[in-house]
């Protein structure tokens, strides 16, 4: 109501009429009060405030009009009939009227000045508020211009009013180029709806959000996440604040991920059949392992193994051949399953596999590596052997050598397939492990007689060793139970879970669920690998293969820290290299046993290990702690009184190799145990040939003795290219004591168009010879190998051929092993469980150390 009055007062005519009406109303009120009070009511008491209020509200001229109106009405009142004549009005009345006019004029002038001052103050306050608002808007506009998002202000039905730096960088138009132009015309991109519908949506909801496509100044199409907010400017017109964020790269990545997911789904479908085959092979291996445990006769064992492989693996022919030494090294078939039409007899008659000099079986025994022919028809086998084999319907063959503890071949396991894809790499790897288990079972059975004879000799020390033997049996049983429990409760359970998950992939499921299933299966497999690594490190610590005792003790201390939480301080007074494996392993096992005693009995979490060379050249290691200590005298004999059999076992092992042990301990004062072993028979520098000498020896080796195998397991007798001949491909030499690993890496690398496998070596010595003969570009080096390990081999190769790039491989993800390999000259260190892409990247992109 007051607002309407204020608006009306701004109109001139209304102000004059309101002033006149106010005076009339005051005059009327005066007459009413005069009638009520009497003629003594003050003449002008109501006109003064009336005129002042009119002047304050309506202004100066309406106030003066109100004064004139009041005077006129008073004069008219004096001439009303019944009133005294004008000439008879007293002088005081004229004086009062004049005084009224003067006072009212003064009050009107004062009111006008007051009103004008208030208007000026209000105008000033409004101007200040506008300035503050404009400053705030200016600051906001500056901040918007600095934003990385494109922020645009445009008028509905009009052009662009604001264009920040983010918009300039995203669309390429400067603010001057965009100012005043229509947004949809500038960006040349269709909107999701017509402009009228967009404006209607903005007015209904106040905002709009979606993904749209725009064109930049240079013609590129970008996808943006656009948010538009409707508001009003200071002039009251509708404006739209549009915030655009570039999501082109994100949409591209999403599209690539979608395509990758589709490709992964296709690969999963393709691999399902492979996994079923692998599962069948695993069941076959499990059944063979049970037979190895239960059967105690060699002939029966080989026959059952052949039958299991045929039944569970679905192979048409499986046979085992053993070298008959009394007959001049002839390979004889001792067991078979599935012989077709006298195939084995026919081979014997034609000089095939039963002759050690011919066929895949003979070559596997000679090379001590598996020989695999995936496609017999296109292989380079003996023509007679191929004719006999193909005539029986066989398409592939795998000959797996049986090796004894000294890596000497004494037989072969041969498996024939009647399908081109019947012997894939994964199956061959498992079959190789099965052949190793069979070889171990046969050698174990043959060793029983020797073991019985050895037991008679051991009766001489029966009194002392009986207690130890009992404890060893119990310890072995506990360890077997622990390992069996670990295999059953953890690794086997993970494999079973993986199996169920793989079988579950047959079901038709949404893509998201199948992706989650694959991720869970990958996690289960990786967990199984981690558990198997931990079990492997417990059974055979990798430090035993390191010839540098200081490095080996450092690894052993790190392993004790990881497995048992014992902080081991290793201090080496000198560098000692020990080549004799038996002496080195005995020393390290003794130190390991002493550290176990600290963990079990000392009651402390820290121990010291000191390595020094004795006056006689022996290697001495002292294990010390500040724990509870023990009675050194009681430790001389095994049994509960001495605190266990650990020290007695250490003493016995050291006595066998000519070493000894010294114990210093007392209750409450810690312990200090020193063990020593004799030095190597010859000076370490003279006990090994230098790398150049090995190269000279390798150069003298006839070419036909160089072992270079292809992906089909074939042995190549010659290497046609000399050191100077180089192809455009990366020439790779594989070094690993496990043929399965070499076979797997070779099969993968041979599929790469830019990589060529030039040779394979099972140990460090052959690796040195092949490096000299083949001069490869890259060598993949297994870290843990018998004899000369990967670190020593790498150091020897790098010393003479620094340009050859060496990539270390190991099952263990050991940072210290990786550092040792790099220190020896390797350019990269990878775990064997790493992806193929990682190995390919290392081969192709390893930095050159020249």
């Amino acid at each position: 109501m007051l607002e309407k009055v204020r608006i009306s007062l701004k109109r001139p005519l209304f102000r004059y009429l309101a002033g006149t009406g106010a005076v009339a109303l005051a005059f009327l009120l005066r007459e009413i009060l005069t009638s009520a009070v009497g003629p003594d009511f003050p003449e002008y008491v109501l006109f003064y405030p009336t005129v002042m209020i009119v002047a304050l509200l309506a202004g100066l001229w309406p106030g003066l009009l109100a004064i004139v109106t009041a005077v006129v009405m008073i004069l008219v009142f004096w001439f009303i009939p019944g009133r005294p004549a004008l000439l008879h009005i007293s002088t005081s009345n004229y004086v009062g009227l004049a005084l009224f006019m003067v006072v009212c004029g003064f009050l009107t002038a004062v009111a006008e000045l007051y009103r004008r001052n208030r208007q000026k103050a209000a105008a000033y306050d409004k101007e200040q508020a506008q300035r503050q608002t404009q400053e705030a808007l200016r600051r906001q506009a500056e901040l918007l211009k600095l934003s990385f998002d494109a922020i645009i202000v445009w008028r509905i039905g009009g052009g662009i009013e604001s264009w920040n730096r983010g918009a300039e960088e995203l669309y390429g138009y400067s603010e001057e180029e965009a100012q005043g132009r229509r947004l949809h015309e500038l960006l040349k991109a269709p909107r999701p709806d017509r402009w009228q519908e967009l404006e209607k949506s903005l007015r209904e909801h106040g905002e709009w959000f979606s993904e749209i496509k725009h064109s930049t100044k240079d013609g590129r199409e970008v996808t943006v996440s656009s948010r538009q907010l409707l508001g009003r400017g200071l002039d009251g017109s509708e404006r739209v604040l549009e915030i655009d964020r570039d999501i082109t790269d994100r949409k591209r990545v999403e599209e690539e991920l979608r395509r990758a997911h589709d490709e992964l789904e296709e690969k999963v479908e393709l691999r399902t059949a492979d996994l079923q085959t692998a599962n069948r092979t695993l069941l076959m291996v499990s059944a063979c392992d049970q037979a190895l445990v239960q059967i105690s006769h060699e002939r029966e064992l080989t026959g059952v193994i052949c039958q299991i492989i045929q039944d569970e693996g679905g192979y048409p022919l499986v046979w085992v051949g053993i070298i008959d030494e009394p007959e001049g090294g002839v390979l004889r078939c001792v067991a078979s399953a599935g012989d077709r039409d006298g195939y084995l007899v026919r081979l014997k008659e034609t000089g095939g596999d039963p002759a050690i000099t011919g066929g895949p079986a003979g070559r596997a025994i000679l090379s001590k590596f598996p020989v695999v022919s995936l496609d017999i028809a296109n292989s380079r086998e003996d023509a007679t052997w191929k004719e006999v084999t193909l005539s029986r319907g066989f398409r592939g063959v795998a000959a797996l050598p049986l090796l004894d503890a000294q890596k000497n071949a004494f037989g072969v396991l041969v498996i024939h397939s009647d399908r081109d894809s019947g012997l894939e790499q994964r199956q061959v790897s498992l079959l190789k492990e099965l052949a190793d288990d069979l070889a171990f079972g046969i050698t174990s059975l043959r060793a029983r007689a020797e073991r019985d004879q050895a037991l008679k000799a051991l009766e001489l020390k029966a009194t002392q060793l009986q207690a130890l033997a009992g404890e060893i049996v119990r310890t072995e049983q506990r360890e077997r139970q622990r390992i069996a429990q670990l295999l059953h409760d953890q690794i086997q359970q993970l494999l079973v879970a993986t199996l169920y998950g793989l079988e579950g992939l047959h079901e038709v499921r949404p893509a998201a669920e199948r992706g989650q299933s694959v991720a869970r299966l990958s996690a289960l497999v990786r967990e199984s690998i981690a558990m198997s690594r931990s079990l492997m490190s417990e059974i055979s610590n990798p430090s035993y293969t390191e010839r540098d005792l200081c490095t080996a003790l450092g690894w052993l201390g790190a392993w004790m820290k990881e497995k048992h939480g014992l902080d081991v301080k290793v201090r080496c007074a000198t560098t000692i290299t020990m080549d004799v494996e038996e002496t080195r392993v005995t020393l390290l096992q003794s130190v390991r046993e002493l550290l176990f005693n600290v963990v079990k009995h000392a009651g402390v979490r820290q121990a010291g290990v000191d390595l020094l060379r004795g006056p006689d050249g022996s290697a001495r290691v002292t294990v010390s702690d500040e724990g509870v200590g023990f009675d050194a005298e009681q430790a001389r004999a095994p049994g509960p009184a001495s605190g266990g059999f650990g020290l007695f076992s250490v003493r016995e092992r050291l006595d066998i190799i000519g070493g000894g042990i010294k114990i210093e301990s007392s209750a409450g004062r810690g312990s200090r145990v020193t063990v020593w072993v004799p030095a190597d028979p010859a000076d370490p520098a003279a006990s090994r040939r230098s790398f150049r000498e090995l190269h000279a020896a390798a150069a003298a080796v006839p070419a036909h003795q160089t072992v270079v195998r292809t992906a089909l397991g074939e042995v190549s007798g010659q290497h046609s290219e000399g050191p100077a001949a180089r192809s455009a491909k990366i020439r790779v030499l594989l070094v690993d004591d496990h043929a399965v690993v070499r076979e797997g890496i070779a099969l993968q690398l041979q599929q790469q168009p830019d990589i060529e496998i030039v040779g394979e070596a099972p140990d460090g010595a052959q690796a040195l010879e092949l490096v000299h003969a083949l001069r490869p570009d890259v060598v993949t080096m297994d870290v843990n190998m018998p004899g000369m390990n990967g670190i020593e081999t790498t150091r020897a190769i790098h010393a003479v051929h620094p340009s050859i790039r060496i990539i270390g491989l190991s099952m263990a993800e050991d940072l210290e092993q990786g550092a040792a390999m790099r220190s020896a000259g390797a350019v990269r260190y990878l775990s064997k469980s790493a992806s193929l892409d990682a190995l390919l990247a290392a081969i192709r992109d390893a930095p050159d150390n020249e």
Side-chain angles (χ1 to χ4, degrees):
M1 186 64 181
L2 293 176
E3 184 65 25
K4 292 182 179 180
V5 173
R6 290 175 183 172
I7 295 174
S8 300
L9 287 175
K10 294 180 180 180
R11 301 173 183 173
L13 180 60
F14 182 80
R15 287 186 288 150
Y16 288 113
L17 292 176
T20 303
V23 173
L25 182 62
F27 188 84
L28 179 61
L29 182 60
R30 177 187 174 281
E31 287 299 315
I32 294 174
L33 294 176
T34 301
S35 300
V37 176
D40 296 332
F41 186 78
E43 185 76 19
Y44 307 103
V45 68
L46 292 178
F47 293 107
Y48 289 116
T50 301
V51 172
M52 190 170 181
I53 291 173
V54 172
L56 286 172
L57 296 179
L60 176 61
W61 295 107
L64 294 177
L65 178 61
I67 296 173
V68 173
T69 302
V71 172
V72 171
M73 293 187 72
I74 290 173
L75 291 176
V76 172
F77 177 74
W78 285 349
F79 286 102
I80 294 175
R83 295 282 185 177
L86 181 63
L87 298 177
H88 297 287
I89 295 176
S90 64
T91 303
S92 62
N93 288 334
Y94 289 107
V95 173
L97 182 59
L99 184 61
F100 168 73
M101 294 177 64
V102 172
V103 173
C104 284
F106 176 75
L107 292 176
T108 300
V110 172
E112 177 66 14
L113 290 175
Y114 175 74
R115 189 179 67 82
R116 289 185 178 182
N117 288 334
R118 288 192 58 189
Q119 288 179 348
K120 290 182 179 179
Y124 178 78
D125 293 341
K126 183 176 180 181
E127 183 180 358
Q128 289 297 109
Q130 289 180 348
R131 288 180 179 176
Q132 293 177 357
T133 301
Q134 291 176 356
E135 180 65 19
L137 292 176
R138 185 185 66 79
R139 293 179 180 177
Q140 291 179 0
E142 291 297 329
L143 291 176
L144 292 179
K145 287 182 179 296
L146 295 176
S147 174
F148 290 104
D149 293 334
I151 302 178
I152 308 168
V153 178
W154 50 276
R155 189 192 299 269
I156 289 185
I160 298 171
E161 295 184 351
S162 178
W163 184 269
N164 76 328
R165 183 181 300 174
E168 292 180 354
E169 295 178 354
L170 177 58
Y171 298 118
Y173 295 98
S174 65
E175 186 174 7
E176 291 75 13
E177 292 175 327
Q179 197 75 29
R181 298 181 64 178
R182 291 181 177 270
L183 185 63
H184 67 284
E185 296 176 354
L186 178 67
L187 301 181
K188 303 182 185 66
R191 293 283 181 173
D193 305 309
R194 294 190 300 271
W195 280 98
Q196 295 79 3
E197 296 178 358
L198 172 62
E199 294 175 1
K200 180 180 178 182
S201 176
L202 285 171
R203 288 192 177 97
E204 288 180 356
H205 306 289
E207 64 177 353
W208 183 84
F209 178 79
S210 183
E211 295 179 0
I212 54 179
K213 293 184 177 180
H214 284 158
S215 294
T216 63
K217 184 178 180 179
D218 57 3
R220 292 183 301 105
E221 186 178 79
V222 295
T223 304
V224 298
S225 173
S226 180
R227 185 181 184 88
Q228 302 181 16
L229 303 174
L230 181 64
R232 292 184 180 274
L234 295 176
D235 57 357
S237 61
E238 292 180 327
R239 289 175 173 80
V240 176
L241 174 63
E242 180 171 339
I243 304 174
D244 295 341
R245 176 168 294 179
D246 187 6
I247 59 173
T248 305
D249 292 339
R250 191 187 76 186
K251 299 295 289 184
R252 176 179 55 79
V253 171
E254 289 177 353
E255 179 64 21
E256 291 176 356
L257 288 175
R258 185 189 63 78
R259 289 197 298 267
H261 180 268
D262 294 341
E263 293 176 359
L264 180 60
E265 289 292 333
E266 294 178 2
K267 291 181 179 180
V268 168
E269 294 177 358
L270 293 175
R271 294 295 182 183
T272 301
D274 296 341
L275 293 174
Q276 290 177 340
T277 303
N279 176 54
R280 187 175 182 179
T281 306
L282 286 173
L283 293 176
M284 176 189 68
V285 173
S286 177
C288 291
D289 289 341
Q290 293 180 7
L292 289 171
V293 174
Q294 297 172 357
I295 300 175
S296 58
H297 299 284
E298 179 178 337
R299 183 61 62 90
E300 180 184 359
L301 175 64
T302 54
V304 171
I305 292 296
C306 290
Q307 194 63 50
I308 291 176
I309 294 176
Q310 184 190 40
D311 295 341
E312 300 295 338
Y315 299 106
L317 173 61
V318 182
W319 61 276
V320 173
I322 300 296
I323 297 177
D324 191 350
E325 295 294 344
E327 296 293 333
V330 176
L331 180 64
R332 297 189 179 279
C333 176
V334 297
S336 64
D339 190 7
R340 292 184 176 180
D341 301 330
Y343 168 75
L344 297 176
V345 176
R346 175 64 176 162
L347 281 182
K348 185 176 181 180
E349 294 175 353
T350 57
D353 271 333
I356 195 170
T357 57
R363 291 194 292 110
I365 292 177
L366 289 174
S367 64
K368 303 178 183 179
F369 296 118
V371 175
V372 180
S373 291
L374 302 179
D375 185 3
I376 296 176
N378 297 321
S379 66
R380 291 180 294 177
E381 299 290 349
D382 178 74
T384 303
W385 180 88
K386 287 173 59 175
E387 178 184 358
V388 175
T389 303
L390 292 174
S391 65
R392 299 304 196 276
F394 301 131
R395 295 293 178 266
V397 64
L400 310 170
L402 303 179
L403 306 178
D404 57 18
Q406 289 73 35
K407 302 300 181 181
N408 296 320
F410 64 88
V412 64
L413 171 64
V414 183
I415 301 174
H416 292 263
S417 173
D418 54 4
R419 303 186 307 274
D420 293 338
S421 61
L423 289 169
E424 298 181 353
Q425 177 58 34
R426 186 177 305 173
Q427 295 172 275
V428 173
S429 300
L430 294 173
L431 292 173
K432 175 61 172 62
E433 295 181 6
L434 176 58
D436 292 340
D437 293 341
L438 176 59
F440 176 77
I442 293 175
T443 54
S444 297
L445 293 176
R446 292 180 175 181
R448 285 188 178 181
E450 298 178 3
R451 184 190 61 186
D452 294 339
Q453 295 177 359
L455 288 175
K456 295 179 180 179
L458 290 176
E459 289 177 357
L460 298 175
K461 299 186 69 175
T463 303
Q464 286 185 321
L465 296 181
Q466 184 175 5
L468 177 60
E471 181 63 17
I472 289 175
V473 171
R474 289 189 293 271
T475 302
E476 181 183 4
Q477 183 62 26
R478 288 194 300 268
E479 191 65 16
R480 286 179 179 272
Q481 291 176 354
R482 185 183 70 83
I483 294 174
Q485 190 72 19
L486 176 62
L487 291 173
H488 178 270
D489 293 346
Q490 297 186 33
I491 297 178
Q492 285 188 359
Q493 300 303 321
L494 289 172
L495 292 176
V496 171
T498 305
L499 173 61
Y500 289 162
L502 293 173
E503 293 178 348
L505 291 177
H506 291 293
E507 301 176 5
V508 179
R509 296 184 177 178
E513 291 185 13
R514 301 187 73 176
Q516 294 174 359
S517 299
V518 173
R520 288 194 296 270
L521 292 176
S522 297
L524 289 174
V525 173
R526 293 184 181 278
E527 188 176 354
S528 299
I529 293 175
M531 289 182 180
S532 64
R533 284 178 180 160
S534 177
L535 183 59
M536 182 182 66
S537 64
E538 291 183 17
I539 296 174
S540 178
N541 196 289
S543 64
Y544 295 163
T545 62
E546 176 57 42
R547 290 181 171 83
D548 186 346
L549 292 182
C550 187
T551 302
L553 292 173
W555 290 356
L556 185 58
W559 184 80
M560 292 297 298
K561 175 69 173 178
E562 178 184 356
K563 299 300 294 184
H564 303 285
L566 181 64
D567 188 9
V568 181
K569 305 287 186 182
V570 178
R571 295 174 289 268
C572 301
T574 182
T575 300
I576 301 177
T577 301
M578 186 165 292
D579 293 329
V580 179
E581 182 179 4
E582 180 183 3
T583 306
R584 181 180 66 251
V585 172
T586 300
L587 177 62
L588 293 175
Q589 286 181 344
S590 301
V591 174
R592 179 181 179 183
E593 184 67 29
L594 295 176
L595 291 175
F596 277 145
N597 285 342
V598 174
V599 172
K600 293 184 291 186
H601 306 298
V604 294
R605 309 305 297 174
Q606 186 174 2
V609 175
D610 296 274
L611 172 66
L612 54 87
R613 188 181 295 276
D616 56 350
S618 61
R620 292 176 174 266
V621 179
T622 300
V623 178
S624 59
D625 65 82
E626 299 180 359
V628 298
F630 57 92
D631 188 351
E633 293 299 327
Q634 291 185 355
R636 293 182 179 275
S642 64
F645 297 88
L647 293 177
F648 177 76
S649 175
V650 169
R651 181 183 295 109
E652 291 296 320
R653 291 198 299 267
L654 291 172
D655 288 341
I656 293 175
I657 63 173
I661 181 172
K662 179 181 179 181
I663 303 172
E664 300 172 84
S665 180
S666 60
R669 296 186 178 181
S671 60
R672 179 182 176 88
V673 182
T674 302
V675 295
W676 63 88
V677 294
D680 285 350
D683 182 74
S687 62
R688 292 175 294 173
R689 294 185 297 173
S690 67
F691 183 60
R692 290 182 174 84
E693 292 173 341
L694 288 173
H695 271 256
V701 176
H704 69 275
Q705 294 183 10
T706 302
V707 180
V708 180
R709 299 191 302 113
T710 66
L712 295 179
E714 299 170 352
V715 178
S716 174
Q718 310 237 348
H719 182 67
S720 60
E721 295 182 354
R726 293 290 184 234
S727 65
K729 296 184 178 181
I730 302 174
R731 307 174 71 252
V732 180
L733 172 66
L734 307 180
V735 181
D736 198 298
D737 62 326
H738 288 84
V740 174
V741 176
R742 296 197 307 273
E743 194 74 22
I745 296 176
L747 286 176
Q748 296 295 335
L749 297 185
Q750 284 178 340
Q751 299 177 8
Q752 307 302 316
D754 60 337
I755 296 176
E756 177 185 7
I757 306 300
V758 298
E760 298 179 18
D763 53 39
Q766 290 193 30
L768 297 179
E769 296 175 354
L770 290 180
V771 164
H772 175 79
L774 303 177
R775 299 291 177 85
D777 299 318
V778 177
V779 177
T780 63
M781 182 69 65
D782 184 21
V783 177
N784 299 310
M785 294 188 298
M788 180 180 291
N789 61 26
I791 297 174
E792 295 177 341
T793 307
T794 298
R795 187 178 295 113
I797 294 175
H798 186 70
V800 178
H801 296 291
S803 63
I804 295 179
R805 298 175 300 184
I806 303 174
I807 302 171
L809 298 177
S810 176
M811 284 300 297
E813 296 179 347
D814 192 329
L815 296 179
E816 294 184 4
Q817 278 194 358
M821 282 294 292
R822 290 188 179 92
S823 177
V827 298
R828 204 71 68 84
Y829 175 84
L830 299 174
S831 171
K832 290 182 180 178
S833 61
S835 64
L836 175 63
D837 292 340
L839 179 58
L840 293 176
I843 293 175
R844 291 167 176 153
D845 302 331
D848 202 350
N849 284 355
E850 291 184 344

